[in-house]
Amino acid sequence: MAEIHLKNVSRRWHNFTAVDDLTLQIPDREFLVLLGPSGCGKSTTMRMIAGLEDVSSGEIWMGGKLMNHLEPKDRDVSMVFQSYGLYPNMTVYENIRFPLKIRGIPASEHKQRVMKAAEMVELTPFLDRRPAALSGGQRQRVALARAIVREPNCFLMDEPLSNLDAKLRVSTRAQIANLHHALKTTTIYVTHDQVEAMTLADRVVVMKGGIAQQVGKPMEIYDRPANTFVASFIGSPAMNLIDGDIADGTFSNPYLTVSGLPHAARGPVTLGFRAEDVSVVSEGGNLSAPVYSVENLGDSTMFAIKGAHDDLISLKADKTARMAIGETVHAHVPAAACHVFDRESGLRIDGFDNQAVA
């Protein structure tokens, strides 16, 4: 069992708090993604679980055992780093085998376990090569195999795809998802890439400033962001966020009016909606503004307009849509697709429940 429980965990250096009072229950076999911008505390959280950083306060439990004062080698976790961390003078076979040697696993088991791990990440033809003769994707697969061969209770992956190009990220991401399905081992994965989080995770922890902003399944967070930070961080493009006023179920600002909203919200608010929920129309609609930019994406066309505070608002249209910069675009933003947030705190307003996510 590799159920992990973080109880009020914090990490502080003098006056700086990297992780602040984080409580998190990670069930056995779950794939949990820690997501957020640089400096949000996600890697520090992982390093505390691994034992590479001390816990300033709180407790870390794994499999019913308190981990706080155990050395990293005694925690039965395997880490995969962004930098691969391979030994350049060793072959792929020896790199994968190395954790077995240092942990005193009987030599009679080495070959079988190395070959099994190598086969899982499709490295069997490359076992005699050294890291310098491998591509970036192949090196990352060696790092994965080296973690797999130990058969740990938990995998910890710290931005393992950051050094790969776009095509390799897609293929390696699929491989990691398939490995988790096959191995069924608890996995904690750190990334700043929301696409990785959405495609890999059973649950996502969105972090900012050392604090967990929201914890939930990927589509729960996408459909019902807890605050404007989560709304702006999840999704590509990010959710459009527009300041205005709401009264009697109608939101208004200089270029957008949305009626039929619930009456729970009143006064100055931030309205959120996603680009794919907007319908670009030839005339009318409840949003009108000059086109600021046009992006032809193949399967669709993305228009951007500038808001009152020079913020860009994205509108997704059919791939056949044609419009020049400077022309006025008309669109319909349905009330059912809107989210309402308190403008001062950024929190989702209680009692507001749009039909799109009900």
Side-chain angles (χ1 to χ4, degrees):
M1 288 287 290
E3 182 178 22
I4 300 170
H5 192 186
L6 279 61
K7 299 181 179 180
N8 306 106
V9 170
S10 297
R11 178 65 172 120
R12 294 180 290 270
W13 291 276
H14 304 292
N15 295 326
F16 176 71
T17 300
V19 178
D20 189 10
D21 196 33
L22 178 62
T23 294
L24 196 59
Q25 189 95 27
I26 308 168
D28 184 37
R29 302 184 177 188
E30 181 173 66
F31 197 119
L32 184 88
V33 172
L34 302 176
L35 173 69
S38 297
C40 72
K42 56 189 186 296
S43 290
T44 302
T45 299
M46 175 175 286
R47 291 174 64 84
M48 286 192 290
I49 294 171
L52 302 176
E53 294 281 358
D54 291 331
V55 176
S56 300
S57 60
E59 298 175 342
I60 297 177
W61 293 77
M62 188 181 300
K65 188 175 182 180
L66 183 63
M67 295 283 114
N68 285 42
H69 303 296
L70 288 183
E71 294 294 321
K73 65 182 177 64
D74 298 322
R75 299 195 181 197
D76 199 16
V77 300
S78 277
M79 288 198 73
V80 179
F81 298 97
Q82 177 182 349
S83 60
Y84 314 139
L86 305 181
Y87 298 101
N89 60 319
M90 294 183 183
T91 63
V92 169
Y93 182 94
E94 289 299 329
N95 265 282
I96 298 172
R97 180 188 175 204
F98 190 72
L100 302 179
K101 293 173 66 175
I102 62 172
R103 292 182 70 82
I105 303 297
S108 58
E109 298 181 25
H110 289 192
K111 184 173 182 178
Q112 179 185 359
R113 288 174 64 166
V114 170
M115 296 304 291
K116 180 181 176 183
E119 186 176 352
M120 292 187 77
V121 295
E122 301 173 8
L123 279 175
T124 308
F126 308 102
L127 290 175
D128 293 330
R129 296 189 187 182
R130 285 184 165 78
L134 303 176
S135 68
Q138 289 166 341
R139 291 178 197 179
Q140 191 56 273
R141 282 188 277 151
V142 177
L144 286 170
R146 190 175 56 187
I148 291 167
V149 79
R150 275 196 49 200
E151 300 176 0
N153 271 331
C154 179
F155 291 120
L156 304 176
M157 300 188 183
D158 193 2
E159 305 217 36
L161 308 185
S162 295
N163 290 339
L164 305 182
D165 62 36
K167 185 177 180 181
L168 276 175
R169 278 201 301 273
V170 172
S171 60
T172 310
R173 191 169 70 220
Q175 193 160 45
I176 289 172
N178 187 267
L179 282 172
H180 178 71
H181 177 77
L183 296 169
K184 296 179 173 57
T185 302
T186 306
T187 301
I188 302 173
Y189 186 104
V190 163
T191 183
H192 62 274
D193 186 329
Q194 53 93 21
V195 174
E196 290 179 24
M198 292 292 291
T199 54
L200 288 172
D202 293 322
R203 284 191 307 153
V204 178
V205 181
V206 184
M207 298 186 69
K208 177 189 177 187
I211 297 172
Q213 303 292 309
Q214 188 171 0
V215 182
K217 295 179 180 179
M219 289 309 299
E220 290 174 353
I221 292 175
Y222 186 86
D223 285 338
R224 293 186 57 79
N227 55 42
T228 50
F229 173 77
V230 176
S232 65
F233 201 81
I234 296 288
S236 181
M239 181 180 286
N240 296 307
L241 297 171
I242 301 174
D243 289 342
D245 293 285
I246 191 169
D248 299 323
T250 297
F251 171 90
S252 60
N253 82 354
Y255 53 90
L256 174 64
T257 300
V258 181
S259 299
L261 296 168
H263 288 242
R266 210 171 247 298
V269 297
T270 298
L271 188 79
F273 60 90
R274 296 201 179 274
E276 65 266 25
D277 293 327
V278 177
S279 300
V280 174
V281 295
S282 57
E283 58 182 24
N286 57 1
L287 183 153
S288 297
V291 173
Y292 182 77
S293 70
V294 181
E295 295 179 325
N296 295 314
L297 304 178
D299 64 333
S300 60
T301 302
M302 195 75 71
F303 297 111
I305 64 173
K306 265 200 171 183
H309 303 287
D310 284 341
D311 46 334
L312 290 179
I313 296 158
S314 300
L315 314 173
K316 191 172 185 179
D318 186 82
K319 65 181 180 180
T320 60
R322 295 290 181 266
M323 195 164 288
I325 292 174
E327 287 187 58
T328 298
V329 63
H330 302 280
H332 176 66
V333 181
C338 291
H339 309 253
V340 178
F341 304 93
D342 180 83
R343 194 190 300 181
E344 184 175 345
S345 68
L347 295 175
R348 187 182 190 88
I349 290 180
D350 290 337
F352 183 85
D353 191 10
N354 64 36
Q355 298 170 28
V357 297

